[in-house]
Amino acid sequence: MKSKNTQRFVHQTPYQGNRLKPLMQLLLLSGALGAWGQAVAAEEAGEPMQQAAVAETALSEVRVSASGLGLKAGDMASPVNVLEGQSLMLRQSATLGETLDGEPGIHSSHFGAGASRPIIRGMDGPRVQVLSDGSELHDASTISPDHAVAGEPMLATQIEVLRGPAALVYGGGAAMGGVVNMLDDKIPTAIPQNGITGSAQLRGNTGAGEAAGAFSLTGGAGNLAVHAEGMARDAGDYRVGSGWSQGKKVEGSFNRTNTGSFGLSWIGDQGYLGLAYTRQEARYGLPGHDHSFEGCHTHGNHLHCGGHGHDDDHGHDHDHDHGHGHDHDHDHDHAHGVPVVDLLSERWDLRGEWRNPVAGIAAARLRGGWTDYRHDEIEGGTVATTFKNRANDLRLELEHEPVAGWRGVLGLQTMERKFSAVGEEAYVEPTKTRRNSLYLMEEYSWQDWRWQAALRHERQSVEAQLSELTRKHHATSLSLGSVWKFAPGYKLTGSFTHGNRLPTAEELYANGLHMATATYERGNSDLKRERSQAVDLGLAKTAGDTTFSANVFHHRVKGYIYGATLDEMHGLQLLQYTQADARFTGVEGQVRQKLSRQWGLTLFGDAVRARLDGGAALPRIPAKRVGLRLDTFWKGWDGQIEWVQVLRQNRTAAFESETSGYGMLNLSASYEMRTAGGTPWQFFIKGQNLNNRLAYAHTSFIKNAAPLMGRNVTVGVKVMF
């Protein structure tokens, strides 16, 4: 049967996509040259240029929206990563995972160019919660790494990554990995001073022939404000580093995305109330898909693939290698072509704030979302599998005035999610998940000390609608943290978190073949909640010629839920969701030395070791990473050059192959100026993997089928008005 969705996406054929590229590249080039010419004219005219601030000192002044109390990043008891302004513009990529990859302790799951989620300190999936301005994003990305996050980094105004007490208020699982909050302007919170404000951006990338553009526009008068924003991306298959045996490009790594949003707000003296509609369409390939696994099934804890001659519980012959640490990749069957994901997400957002509604309440806040998500996996021109996720969530919180020095937030959250998969790879039956939560976060300041505490209780039911099984779980989590600014420019942080993560529908009820990740997955309906105890200690210096930050952490998890590989056949793995005690231990940090007024040198790195209590390694844990960065600024120019060395990952789980290390040379530069009329422009250029190294991500299910991008250069221009 032909796809019913083939008419909804504008880039359905290579011809249509290629028509967009020359236009976007021409606009990009003309905009960049125009910005360059205006910059030169401004410099000759003697106009003052804005010079870069040191990132370490600026970070402490950034307000963290997801903290619930409007805390500054420097006042948080646990590490927080904040990307905004110029740093965000330079880091923005097609996916959320690639945008955040390289931040201390953060890696990408990397599934070609169309899908990737952030991995925080070795934890991924449901342990990393992705939010849209405090409201949970509902898609299918936690189910499998080949499913994209239904959020657009190019439209984000700020991206925050939280851990510890602030993360706990969003979920017990989020307290283990973290929370990624994407801020945007889709619902206006203030009337523009001049009646209208906005921005426009164009960029292009050589590695995939990518052209992308985005705009944002807000206008208003009286008490009403409207906002419109949109973006379009057209990228072909990307090139890899030199020496890959399978060619120069990753087949099926293209990515075409359209996103648009429209919002309306009523804004008064004491707050605002707004509603926004967002529609995202995406079409991207699934590299490494292997059709030879069709028909594979299980006999007990063994795989059986028809004529492969495998020894199972019924006496078939073994003929495959069960050795540990070997590369099981083989030639892929491309007779049917590379499968394509055709994605459509429609979302309504409701946001509001009422300041000082009654005595004792500083603010009442409302966050709500309703999502209708689906994507088809198309093979040979027909829909093979359709995934649907219809979900709604509502979050209401009250911020109280200080009581005995304590100020805090009391919140209530409710969520319902209906998920289904129909077709060849419907390895999870239709499920309905309901979750209700109550949380409290408090903060207290005394002299040089700041204390933070969070408490959350949640109840969940997960119903498998075909087998008529229902599993109910409940849990209470808590977190305590402190910040001690014991000397000017110095701070010591520490936090302890007792978190509980409830199992997901996929972990409970999965049962079937998933060719995108080359796995046969089996759930376990008897799974209990995870119980984690985490300690995080940090030391930072934020002022002076030498600045630094360093954190060490240790997680001890009782009943850690993971996909244990029980068997393997020619690259296909049998994954059984199971529980075992595990430990995560790691360190992350950076130190910057100011060399002169305009130059600085930064050494940075991170490492995590994750293992079961018996000593066995957990799968797909990021390798150790270290880097050296030289930065400078001069007359409106900001620039940096860095070398990043990723070490070999030889701590591997059963049936998992080792991954070689690699080094990459990256460079970036940006120029900021204002026209004679005061309009700010930014021009930027960045080169990644300039040494064209062939590199593989150990965190990826398809690392050998989709290496990292080779040498590539991104050029862009952005104007704000």
Side-chain angles (χ1 to χ4, degrees), residues 140 143-144 146-147 344 373-377 385-389 419-422 425-428 514:
I143 299 168
S144 175
D146 65 308
H147 300 163
L344 172 63
Y373 169 97
R374 66 173 292 163
H375 81 250
D376 296 328
E377 295 187 1
T385 312
T386 297
F387 293 85
K388 294 182 180 180
N389 188 16
F419 171 81
S420 67
V422 178
E425 295 187 49
Y427 62 97
V428 182
H514 190 203

Side-chain angles (χ1 to χ4, degrees), residues 618-695:
L618 286 166
R620 293 173 298 282
I621 298 301
K624 299 180 181 68
R625 181 173 58 186
V626 65
L628 190 65
R629 180 186 304 120
L630 181 67
D631 63 82
T632 185
F633 67 89
W634 179 75
K635 292 188 175 182
W637 282 97
D638 276 299
Q640 61 181 26
I641 183 171
E642 69 176 14
W643 178 269
V644 179
Q645 186 69 43
V646 177
L647 279 63
R648 176 185 182 187
Q649 180 57 285
N650 56 8
R651 299 183 185 274
T652 55
F655 303 101
E656 184 181 29
S657 61
E658 297 180 358
T659 304
S660 300
Y662 59 87
M664 279 190 180
L665 178 66
N666 304 319
L667 182 147
S668 67
S670 63
Y671 185 85
E672 182 174 344
M673 51 82 63
R674 290 181 180 271
T675 64
T679 301
W681 282 76
Q682 289 179 308
F683 167 80
F684 61 93
I685 181 171
K686 66 176 180 179
Q688 295 176 297
N689 196 6
L690 295 178
N691 52 328
N692 205 32
R693 182 66 183 270
L694 179 62

Side-chain angles (χ1 to χ4, degrees), residues 419-605:
F419 171 81
S420 67
V422 178
E424 294 179 1
E425 295 187 49
Y427 62 97
V428 182
E429 65 177 291
T431 59
K432 179 186 289 187
T433 302
R434 294 187 181 94
R435 185 184 308 124
N436 296 308
S437 308
L438 184 67
Y439 60 90
L440 176 68
M441 181 176 177
E442 295 288 329
E443 187 210 27
Y444 181 82
S445 298
W446 177 71
Q447 295 184 356
D448 298 327
W449 290 84
R450 185 184 293 268
W451 300 88
Q452 293 159 13
L455 181 68
R456 181 182 177 94
H457 179 77
E458 50 194 357
R459 291 182 173 272
Q460 174 183 280
S461 68
V462 184
E463 175 189 351
Q465 296 181 324
L466 296 182
S467 57
E468 298 183 348
L469 292 175
T470 300
R471 292 292 180 264
K472 297 182 178 181
H473 303 87
H474 63 89
T476 301
S477 304
L478 63 90
S479 184
L480 300 172
S482 180
V483 182
W484 180 28
K485 297 183 178 181
F486 57 91
Y490 288 86
K491 68 172 183 176
L492 183 66
T493 62
S495 67
F496 169 80
T497 302
H498 174 76
N500 289 273
R501 185 181 77 85
L502 308 182
T504 65
E506 297 72 42
E507 293 166 335
L508 291 167
Y509 303 122
N511 186 23
L513 182 65
H514 190 203
M515 288 187 287
T517 55
T519 57
Y520 192 105
E521 299 185 22
R522 296 195 312 199
N524 182 354
S525 60
D526 294 326
L527 292 175
K528 310 298 183 184
R529 68 178 185 268
E530 290 180 346
R531 293 171 293 165
S532 169
Q533 293 183 337
V535 176
D536 191 303
L537 299 175
L539 177 64
K541 181 176 182 289
T542 59
D545 291 345
T546 303
T547 57
F548 62 82
S549 63
N551 283 84
V552 295
F553 60 89
H554 179 74
H555 291 253
R556 186 169 184 175
V557 188
K558 294 287 187 180
Y560 182 81
I561 302 173
Y562 72 106
T565 304
L566 303 182
D567 194 13
E568 183 273 343
M569 173 178 281
H570 301 287
L572 178 67
Q573 295 189 4
L574 172 58
L575 297 188
Q576 173 68 61
Y577 285 104
T578 187
Q579 289 187 283
D581 295 346
R583 299 184 183 189
F584 289 72
T585 304
V587 60
E588 58 201 27
Q590 59 182 1
V591 55
R592 181 182 187 273
Q593 177 61 50
K594 183 178 179 181
L595 303 178
S596 68
R597 182 174 176 270
Q598 294 174 317
W599 294 88
L601 187 66
T602 301
L603 176 67
F604 58 91

Side-chain angles (χ1 to χ4, degrees), residues 238-250 664 689 691-696 706-712:
Y238 68 81
R239 292 193 294 268
V240 300
S242 60
W244 192 38
S245 62
Q246 300 184 44
K248 295 183 178 180
K249 292 185 177 182
V250 176
M664 279 190 180
N689 196 6
N691 52 328
N692 205 32
R693 182 66 183 270
L694 179 62
Y696 302 92
L708 300 179
M709 189 178 290
R711 181 186 298 116
N712 67 96

